[in-house]
Amino acid sequence: MSDVIDVNLEKEIAEFYQSFGINQGPGDLQYRLILKVLEINEGNMVEFSEIRQYTDQFADRGSIGSKMKTVFQLEGLVDKVKRGAYTITDKGLIAASFLKETDSFFKNTKKTYEILERMP
Amino acid sequence: MSTGLLLNITICFAITVSSFTFAWMLYRSKNEHSEKSYPSLKMLVILWMLVGSTYLPTTIRMIAAYFNNPEIDLLMYNLASVPFAFVSVPLVYFILYVIVGDKNISGFLSATFALFGVVYLGFLFSNGVIGPNVTEWSSLFMINSDIAINLYLIGLFVIPTAMVIGLLSLLILRRLPKKLRYRTTLPLVAISFVFDFMLTDFVTLVDEMQLAARIFILLGTVQAYLAYFPPMMIQEKLGIKEYSYEVYNESNDDDEQEVNDDV
């Protein structure tokens, strides 16, 4: 699974949105990583430990657990199926789809501004 | 003595002067550009130098035609063909560098176009030209080699023009601030204008068409100049005026100081 999610790219994208003052959602690295892990395991149960594989280098266990509870569970993006295990909901998939849009926006904007930088 | 030829001389001279001036102005502005945009700026300077170098001998050629001197006319036509054959080289480098950002790929592909130019000149000089046919408006030569014309049409013009259109569409489809849109698309439109009408100028056998093509080349050069150095009137009309301002420092605000004192 570590081949599927590029943590450094996610960090770069999150920082890009943070530079616009968007610190939540697409600008939040933890949110991005959690949602991506959940999305690629659509229809399956995701253990907390699977999410922590990505998030441990950026955040402590407590903050991820808190995010799961206060954002993902509260907003209905995931269903808790057992202790420390979650599955993504339809609403969560919509959020994941939005996250993909933010990926494309980041890539397009970066590409365009790289072109513009080279234009005299 | 034809007044039409005099008009043609004036237009060719105006293209020469405006192209060289634009190239010089661009070169002088090199310190305002970043390291990343410097290679493309250099190519743009070379491109406009080549346009100027094509129309300088063409001006002399028209003067020679006016004074009925076919030897000088032919000599200047051959001289003008040399920079003309290589106009696509800096253009291809410019477009590829801007899109891809790799100097090696851009250099390699533009070298291929230089080779096209050399082959074109080889065919042109080995087969010669027919003319000059001096008319009221112009002096025309017919290229005596179909291979040269095809090579020149496909290799030297169609591909670079397609590249310009590609980059132009890429920029038009993106959402850009008005000022950036103006600054990036207008030079490309101007280059495309000049480039395509130069093609018409060199292959046409109709004098009026040649004169019209040269008028459009002149307009294209002026358009390119306006893209980089827009006068205040255009800036205000298009809403792209750049205001000079200093960042507001709250600690220097006397009014706010008074309010704070009151509190």
Side-chain angles (χ1 to χ4, degrees), chain B residues 122-193:
Chain B
F123 278 113
L124 183 76
F125 292 144
S126 60
N127 290 294
V129 286
I130 301 163
N133 174 25
V134 180
T135 68
E136 195 187 335
W137 293 101
S138 188
S139 159
L140 301 157
F141 281 95
M142 197 169 98
I143 301 166
N144 197 21
S145 164
D146 286 344
I147 303 171
I149 294 175
N150 288 332
L151 189 82
Y152 148 86
L153 277 173
I154 298 161
L156 299 177
F157 277 86
V158 174
I159 300 170
T161 305
M163 285 179 176
V164 173
I165 293 168
L167 179 60
L168 200 59
S169 336
L170 198 76
L171 292 170
I172 286 172
L173 291 174
R174 308 279 158 116
R175 276 191 184 174
L176 293 173
K178 213 191 277 180
K179 195 184 159 205
L180 271 176
R181 191 179 284 271
Y182 174 85
R183 181 76 187 263
T184 51
T185 52
L186 207 60
L188 289 172
V189 173
I191 289 171
S192 179
F193 228 61

Side-chain angles (χ1 to χ4, degrees), chain B residues 45-61:
Chain B
V45 171
I46 295 172
L47 173 75
W48 291 105
M49 289 287 285
L50 285 173
V51 174
S53 306
T54 304
Y55 281 91
L56 181 62
T58 307
T59 309
I60 302 169
R61 185 165 96 75

Side-chain angles (χ1 to χ4, degrees), chain A residues 108 112 115-118 120, chain B residues 36 40 97-99 174 228:
Chain A
N108 284 337
T112 306
I115 286 176
L116 292 175
E117 261 182 357
R118 291 192 288 267
Chain B
K36 276 188 180 172
S40 46
Y97 177 75
V98 167
I99 296 174
R174 308 279 158 116
Y228 280 96

